[in-house]
Amino acid sequence: MEDSAASKRSVTVADVAKAAKVSKATAARVLGGYGVVSDKIKDQVMAAAAALEYRPNELARSMSTGRSGIIGVVVGDIENAFFSLAVRGISDAARLAGYNVIIANSGEKLDAEKSAVDLLIGKRVDGLIVTPARCDGMDHLHHVRRAGVPLVLFDRSIPELGVDAVTGDDRDAAITATRYMVDRGHRHLAYISAMDDEDGGLIDTGRISNSAVRERVEGFVSVLKEAGLPNPLCSVRFGATDQQQTDAVVRRLLSEASPPTALLASDSLVGLRIFRSLQSLGLSIPSDVSMISFLDADWTSVTVPPITVIDQRVYDMGKLAGERLVARIERTPLAVERLRVGTSLVVRGSVAAPGR
Amino acid sequence: MEDSAASKRSVTVADVAKAAKVSKATAARVLGGYGVVSDKIKDQVMAAAAALEYRPNELARSMSTGRSGIIGVVVGDIENAFFSLAVRGISDAARLAGYNVIIANSGEKLDAEKSAVDLLIGKRVDGLIVTPARCDGMDHLHHVRRAGVPLVLFDRSIPELGVDAVTGDDRDAAITATRYMVDRGHRHLAYISAMDDEDGGLIDTGRISNSAVRERVEGFVSVLKEAGLPNPLCSVRFGATDQQQTDAVVRRLLSEASPPTALLASDSLVGLRIFRSLQSLGLSIPSDVSMISFLDADWTSVTVPPITVIDQRVYDMGKLAGERLVARIERTPLAVERLRVGTSLVVRGSVAAPGR
DNA sequence: CTGAAAGCGCTTACAG
DNA sequence: CTGAAAGCGCTTACAG
């Protein structure tokens, strides 16, 4: 017990060198696995290192080499299945390339995102993957570029930044899902997102600061327009940030003059909340209200009815982002581009013709 | 584009010092926020730092101070809701105390756990929280202690190690849940876990290497014994690692001479798989088979019927572990102990009297 | 209050 | 193949 109480100075190359009776440089060479050393001496050093339980100080190593071997990832909310799946994809790609990952949460707040980025830059990460909370406000990201740290955007793109982005095909996905519902006869639809409520309702889709949401909304709206349905912008609702807010959004929607008969949920958290709202209102799916949710989250397949979803292949998105960043770190010559990962509609049982 | 292509040398205290026309030491003092500096000079330095976009190199800082400000966390699987919730609790506690968190996955494999621990020690984390894959095989954890790095065990305890552990009250939780089912008349029960199958069936609960599972199984078995039910050990099944394996386990169980009428799932992933297995077998819950799952995962409340669960307060567990580790890092005098976070049974609709 | 020097534990030329 | 020295960017005594 007492032996661990005092945080003793850890054993260094110098200690190993002394024990092995060689110079620091020689010990460092075998311990660091670089340069050339005779087998005999190598064995000596290894034996000494093992005896002393030497563990390299990666901090010092990074200081000398200028590489930390760490990839920084800033996500919106690690508890969201979307992000934890993405992080696994990123981690897998990173590990394969010999990098480790350090994760920070922004809570989708610009301020938190800024400090997370600063922190990671401070730790001298070799590269950064970030899910920008807003596609305006990007000074901190410009700074990352100026600092020469490779950057890949995830899930959302900011063309003005001139960096790679890995996203879904959000517009197409929204179009497919919306059309699917329109084709089944729905004339009153609503799109529901957890984004902060733009006060005063949505005037202009171009002003939505999250590019993924913007493109989905644009896809949604375009289908409504092409079907000749009125006021498509009024069918887009924000603010479904928690169960209570979602209940309010859904209740307000359903008490309108022409209530929607079909709902499109912007992510699986919103989808789950909508499901609960409808359930608590005693409405049944799909006979009273149809719904489709983004993301093939686990809960969507075990409800009654199971939920029709847009499968986003988030793991692949994460993996691709990780691979892309590694390529950048290693200076592979590559044009800056936006990589889109395709989605597909998984038809289950939550959409029917508008009923009664 | 070209300006970011070359990863330019980053700006250092020396650069700022030169621009502010002061010594390195002085610049370092204001930039590092230590020592005393006149307001006038402080302003000069800050202005220069802002102009140059100085960002401290935390690596160098850590080298000098011997503190990294990082807490390392090794979890079984970050995609498991149990761990992502725990990580949020840990992160919150860490952030509050001014620490950052770096997460590594072990996939519940001892080897991966060992390298993750080595890696984190190499990065000179200030402390470590680990979910030991096995409660035997703990050389690497002994080494952590010998290196003087504070360590807190999460979810599972290893008394021989003499370090703090934060766990649930697994035995009591299992007892409560099992009793609940026995009290409703069940005489044939089974406990199902995703742990690797011990070849040859379970002989001795003491040999289960994961203490959380062991204690749950012991609780489960003790209730069966006290109810005078035969062969309690045979009612414990491992290997429900994925859907296919779980289907096999469930099918085997239900085809026995006296098939179980009530199932206890060791975690929410296993619970979900069991739910699907039963569903695909056309069995209904609870009229054909009753079930209870550990962890109040989101899917459990939206199924039909909603699932009766053991609510584990995982966020609190994580927070407590984080706080405890911080206290250790900061040398708060505290006895080594095992902290148990209480659980509660959330009764929903998945248990009924054994029917038919 | 400010500065010059040493040191943290590595790696990287540069000699021998 | 091996060693002595300088340097990475900070902080920390030690002087002045």
Side-chain angles (χ1 to χ4, degrees):
Chain A
M1 208 131 293
E2 15 286 298
D3 77 327
S4 83
S7 161
K8 65 219 24 162
R9 205 180 56 74
S10 45
V11 1
T12 70
V13 282
D15 299 323
V16 176
K18 189 180 298 176
K21 297 180 197 312
V22 297
S23 74
K24 259 177 50 182
T26 303
R29 276 192 268 264
V30 1
L31 264 14
Y34 53 89
V36 209
V37 186
S38 69
D39 284 358
K40 179 161 165 290
I41 297 236
K42 191 179 286 181
D43 292 347
Q44 266 176 58
V45 173
M46 291 308 258
L52 297 174
E53 294 195 308
Y54 170 78
R55 292 288 187 288
N57 183 332
E58 299 293 346
L59 251 37
R61 197 169 265 181
S62 300
M63 284 260 352
S64 304
T65 59
R67 301 183 355 105
S68 64
I70 300 183
I71 285 177
V73 180
V74 182
V75 298
D77 172 18
I78 192 62
E79 262 187 272
N80 185 332
F82 178 84
F83 290 114
S84 50
L85 235 189
V87 164
R88 229 200 61 193
I90 293 171
S91 302
D92 285 354
R95 184 162 4 87
L96 244 51
Y99 291 84
N100 288 105
V101 166
I102 161 164
I103 302 161
N105 245 53
S106 75
E108 300 288 6
K109 300 289 174 216
L110 190 57
D111 280 354
E113 179 183 315
K114 278 182 180 164
S115 24
V117 166
D118 264 5
L119 179 106
L120 263 8
I121 294 285
K123 302 277 185 217
R124 292 302 185 263
V125 293
D126 290 339
L128 227 34
I129 295 180
V130 359
T131 301
R134 307 180 58 94
C135 299
D136 38 17
M138 49 182 176
D139 291 359
H140 58 305
L141 298 180
H142 262 125
H143 177 257
V144 171
R145 294 214 48 208
R146 256 176 282 126
V149 177
L151 170 66
V152 170
L153 263 26
F154 187 76
D155 185 48
R156 301 152 201 179
S157 94
I158 309 183
E160 307 87 294
L161 214 51
V163 302
D164 298 314
V166 175
T167 71
D169 57 351
D170 296 291
R171 182 190 311 265
D172 289 349
I175 289 177
T176 303
T178 309
R179 226 174 241 158
Y180 181 80
M181 302 200 279
V182 167
D183 285 352
R184 257 135 213 88
H186 292 279
R187 289 294 167 266
H188 302 283
L189 298 86
Y191 183 97
I192 303 179
S193 155
M195 279 194 66
D196 283 336
D197 208 346
E198 314 263 307
D199 26 21
L202 189 62
I203 322 272
D204 175 11
T205 59
R207 286 179 45 206
I208 300 176
S209 68
N210 175 318
S211 74
V213 175
R214 181 176 61 240
E215 294 181 8
R216 292 175 191 178
V217 167
E218 286 170 354
F220 172 77
V221 164
S222 75
V223 173
L224 299 203
K225 277 190 184 151
E226 115 197 340
L229 304 177
N231 297 326
L233 284 185
C234 299
S235 308
V236 177
R237 301 302 166 91
F238 293 137
T241 49
D242 59 27
Q243 191 59 54
Q244 204 181 332
Q245 296 300 319
T246 306
D247 287 348
V249 168
V250 170
R251 224 176 304 118
R252 209 174 312 131
L253 226 25
L254 295 178
S255 65
E256 289 179 356
S258 325
T261 56
L263 269 22
L264 184 51
S266 201
D267 66 56
S268 70
L269 260 30
V270 171
L272 182 58
R273 291 186 203 118
I274 292 176
F275 185 90
R276 288 199 167 114
S277 292
L278 295 174
Q279 202 170 247
S280 72
L281 289 170
L283 260 21
S284 59
I285 304 171
S287 59
D288 295 323
V289 180
S290 291
M291 75 175 278
I292 292 181
S293 178
F294 270 81
L295 196 65
D296 189 10
D298 61 9
W299 68 269
T300 59
S301 60
V302 288
T303 50
V304 175
I307 308 297
T308 294
V309 297
I310 294 158
D311 181 10
Q312 292 191 84
R313 295 171 52 203
V314 188
Y315 176 86
D316 292 343
M317 287 175 64
K319 189 135 191 223
L320 196 57
E323 290 167 348
R324 189 72 176 193
L325 183 63
V326 167
R328 288 293 173 201
I329 292 172
E330 297 176 350
R331 309 214 165 286
T332 314
L334 241 30
V336 170
E337 55 186 327
R338 170 167 174 180
L339 274 18
R340 277 194 179 75
V341 176
T343 56
S344 53
L345 191 69
V346 179
V347 173
R348 296 206 268 245
S350 62
V351 178
R356 327 215 113 175
Chain B
M1 207 132 293
E2 13 288 295
D3 77 326
S4 83
S7 161
K8 60 214 33 156
R9 204 181 55 76
S10 46
V11 1
T12 71
V13 283
D15 300 322
V16 175
K18 188 180 300 177
K21 298 179 195 312
V22 299
S23 74
K24 259 177 50 183
T26 302
R29 275 192 270 264
V30 1
L31 264 14
Y34 53 88
V36 209
V37 187
S38 70
D39 283 357
K40 179 160 164 292
I41 297 236
K42 189 178 287 179
D43 291 349
Q44 265 176 58
V45 174
M46 290 307 258
L52 296 174
E53 294 195 306
Y54 170 77
R55 293 289 189 287
N57 183 332
E58 299 292 346
L59 252 37
R61 196 170 266 179
S62 301
M63 284 258 355
S64 304
T65 60
R67 302 183 352 105
S68 64
I70 300 184
I71 285 177
V73 180
V74 182
V75 298
D77 173 18
I78 192 62
E79 260 187 275
N80 185 332
F82 178 84
F83 290 113
S84 49
L85 235 188
V87 164
R88 228 201 60 192
I90 294 172
S91 301
D92 284 354
R95 185 161 3 89
L96 245 50
Y99 291 83
N100 289 106
V101 166
I102 161 163
I103 303 162
N105 246 54
S106 76
E108 300 288 5
K109 300 289 174 217
L110 190 57
D111 280 354
E113 179 183 315
K114 277 181 180 164
S115 23
V117 166
D118 264 4
L119 178 106
L120 264 7
I121 294 284
K123 301 276 183 219
R124 292 302 186 264
V125 293
D126 291 339
L128 227 34
I129 295 179
V130 0
T131 300
R134 307 181 57 96
C135 299
D136 38 17
M138 50 184 176
D139 291 359
H140 57 306
L141 299 180
H142 263 124
H143 177 257
V144 171
R145 294 215 47 208
R146 256 175 282 125
V149 177
L151 171 65
V152 170
L153 263 26
F154 187 75
D155 186 47
R156 302 151 202 180
S157 96
I158 308 182
E160 307 88 293
L161 214 52
V163 302
D164 299 313
V166 175
T167 71
D169 57 351
D170 296 291
R171 181 188 313 262
D172 290 350
I175 289 178
T176 303
T178 310
R179 227 174 240 155
Y180 181 80
M181 301 199 278
V182 168
D183 286 351
R184 256 136 213 88
H186 292 278
R187 290 293 166 268
H188 302 283
L189 299 85
Y191 183 97
I192 303 179
S193 155
M195 278 193 66
D196 281 337
D197 208 347
E198 316 263 307
D199 27 19
L202 189 62
I203 322 269
D204 173 11
T205 59
R207 285 180 46 206
I208 301 176
S209 68
N210 175 318
S211 73
V213 175
R214 181 176 61 240
E215 294 181 9
R216 291 175 192 179
V217 167
E218 286 170 355
F220 172 76
V221 165
S222 74
V223 172
L224 299 203
K225 277 191 183 151
E226 117 198 337
L229 303 177
N231 297 326
L233 284 186
C234 300
S235 309
V236 177
R237 300 303 166 91
F238 293 137
T241 48
D242 59 25
Q243 190 59 52
Q244 203 182 331
Q245 296 299 320
T246 306
D247 287 347
V249 168
V250 169
R251 222 175 308 118
R252 208 174 314 132
L253 225 26
L254 294 179
S255 64
E256 288 179 356
S258 326
T261 56
L263 268 22
L264 185 50
S266 203
D267 66 57
S268 69
L269 260 30
V270 172
L272 182 58
R273 291 185 203 119
I274 292 177
F275 185 90
R276 289 198 168 115
S277 293
L278 295 175
Q279 203 170 246
S280 71
L281 289 170
L283 262 19
S284 60
I285 304 171
S287 58
D288 295 322
V289 180
S290 291
M291 75 174 278
I292 292 182
S293 178
F294 271 81
L295 196 64
D296 189 10
D298 60 9
W299 67 269
T300 59
S301 61
V302 290
T303 50
V304 176
I307 308 297
T308 293
V309 296
I310 294 159
D311 180 12
Q312 292 192 85
R313 294 172 53 202
V314 187
Y315 176 85
D316 292 343
M317 287 175 64
K319 189 138 190 218
L320 196 56
E323 290 166 349
R324 190 71 176 195
L325 183 63
V326 167
R328 289 291 174 204
I329 292 172
E330 297 176 350
R331 309 212 164 289
T332 314
L334 242 29
V336 170
E337 54 185 328
R338 170 169 174 179
L339 275 17
R340 276 193 179 75
V341 175
T343 56
S344 53
L345 191 69
V346 178
V347 174
R348 296 206 268 245
S350 62
V351 179
R356 327 215 115 174

